[in-house]
Tab-separated table of all heavy atoms in Angstrom:
chain	number	residue	atom	x	y	z
I	53	GLY	N	-38.250	34.810	-1.389
I	53	GLY	CA	-36.885	35.250	-1.616
I	53	GLY	C	-36.637	35.855	-2.984
I	53	GLY	O	-35.633	36.545	-3.191
I	54	LEU	N	-37.544	35.618	-3.918
I	54	LEU	CA	-37.316	36.091	-5.289
I	54	LEU	C	-37.181	37.608	-5.396
I	54	LEU	O	-36.384	38.097	-6.194
I	54	LEU	CB	-38.440	35.618	-6.209
I	54	LEU	CG	-38.330	34.183	-6.702
I	54	LEU	CD1	-39.552	33.830	-7.532
I	54	LEU	CD2	-37.058	33.975	-7.496
I	55	HIS	N	-37.943	38.347	-4.626
I	55	HIS	CA	-37.876	39.808	-4.744
I	55	HIS	C	-36.541	40.374	-4.253
I	55	HIS	O	-36.195	41.502	-4.588
I	55	HIS	CB	-39.055	40.464	-4.021
I	55	HIS	CG	-38.963	40.412	-2.535
I	55	HIS	ND1	-39.250	39.292	-1.821
I	55	HIS	CD2	-38.589	41.351	-1.641
I	55	HIS	CE1	-39.069	39.530	-0.542
I	55	HIS	NE2	-38.662	40.768	-0.403
I	56	LEU	N	-35.783	39.609	-3.484
I	56	LEU	CA	-34.487	40.074	-3.004
I	56	LEU	C	-33.359	39.834	-4.003
I	56	LEU	O	-32.327	40.493	-3.938
I	56	LEU	CB	-34.123	39.371	-1.692
I	56	LEU	CG	-35.004	39.695	-0.501
I	56	LEU	CD1	-34.594	38.853	0.686
I	56	LEU	CD2	-34.916	41.169	-0.168
I	57	ARG	N	-33.542	38.890	-4.913
I	57	ARG	CA	-32.455	38.522	-5.819
I	57	ARG	C	-31.946	39.677	-6.668
I	57	ARG	O	-30.738	39.819	-6.825
I	57	ARG	CB	-32.865	37.336	-6.700
I	57	ARG	CG	-33.115	36.050	-5.943
I	57	ARG	CD	-31.993	35.666	-4.977
I	57	ARG	NE	-30.695	35.658	-5.647
I	57	ARG	CZ	-29.534	35.910	-5.025
I	57	ARG	NH1	-29.500	36.181	-3.741
I	57	ARG	NH2	-28.407	35.893	-5.695
I	58	PRO	N	-32.789	40.537	-7.231
I	58	PRO	CA	-32.249	41.667	-8.003
I	58	PRO	C	-31.394	42.613	-7.156
I	58	PRO	O	-30.455	43.220	-7.659
I	58	PRO	CB	-33.491	42.387	-8.530
I	58	PRO	CG	-34.556	41.354	-8.521
I	58	PRO	CD	-34.250	40.467	-7.340
I	59	LEU	N	-31.697	42.718	-5.871
I	59	LEU	CA	-30.871	43.560	-4.997
I	59	LEU	C	-29.509	42.927	-4.756
I	59	LEU	O	-28.484	43.605	-4.745
I	59	LEU	CB	-31.573	43.779	-3.651
I	59	LEU	CG	-32.873	44.560	-3.684
I	59	LEU	CD1	-33.540	44.516	-2.316
I	59	LEU	CD2	-32.612	45.985	-4.111
I	60	CYS	N	-29.519	41.615	-4.562
I	60	CYS	CA	-28.266	40.899	-4.291
I	60	CYS	C	-27.436	40.699	-5.554
I	60	CYS	O	-26.213	40.680	-5.492
I	60	CYS	CB	-28.577	39.539	-3.667
I	60	CYS	SG	-29.423	39.651	-2.087
I	61	ASN	N	-28.095	40.517	-6.664
I	61	ASN	CA	-27.400	40.236	-7.922
I	61	ASN	C	-28.058	41.041	-9.048
I	61	ASN	O	-28.803	40.496	-9.856
I	61	ASN	CB	-27.450	38.739	-8.220
I	61	ASN	CG	-26.680	38.363	-9.451
I	61	ASN	OD1	-25.982	39.186	-10.034
I	61	ASN	ND2	-26.815	37.124	-9.874
I	62	PRO	N	-27.779	42.335	-9.126
I	62	PRO	CA	-28.442	43.178	-10.127
I	62	PRO	C	-28.085	42.818	-11.567
I	62	PRO	O	-28.812	43.166	-12.485
I	62	PRO	CB	-27.987	44.596	-9.785
I	62	PRO	CG	-26.827	44.456	-8.885
I	62	PRO	CD	-26.900	43.104	-8.256
I	63	GLN	N	-26.997	42.092	-11.772
I	63	GLN	CA	-26.589	41.717	-13.134
I	63	GLN	C	-27.184	40.389	-13.589
I	63	GLN	O	-26.898	39.929	-14.696
I	63	GLN	CB	-25.052	41.614	-13.238
I	63	GLN	CG	-24.342	42.946	-13.175
I	63	GLN	CD	-24.174	43.444	-11.748
I	63	GLN	OE1	-24.068	42.659	-10.821
I	63	GLN	NE2	-24.174	44.752	-11.571
I	64	ARG	N	-28.001	39.777	-12.768
I	64	ARG	CA	-28.526	38.457	-13.132
I	64	ARG	C	-29.313	38.529	-14.434
I	64	ARG	O	-29.905	39.562	-14.776
I	64	ARG	CB	-29.384	37.876	-12.023
I	64	ARG	CG	-30.782	38.434	-11.991
I	64	ARG	CD	-31.579	37.861	-10.851
I	64	ARG	NE	-32.902	38.443	-10.880
I	64	ARG	CZ	-33.989	37.758	-10.654
I	64	ARG	NH1	-33.923	36.498	-10.347
I	64	ARG	NH2	-35.154	38.348	-10.705
Side-chain angles (χ1 to χ4, degrees):
L54 280 177
H55 72 282
L56 294 176
R57 295 310 308 151
L59 295 172
C60 298
N61 184 7
Q63 289 81 30
R64 80 182 180 139

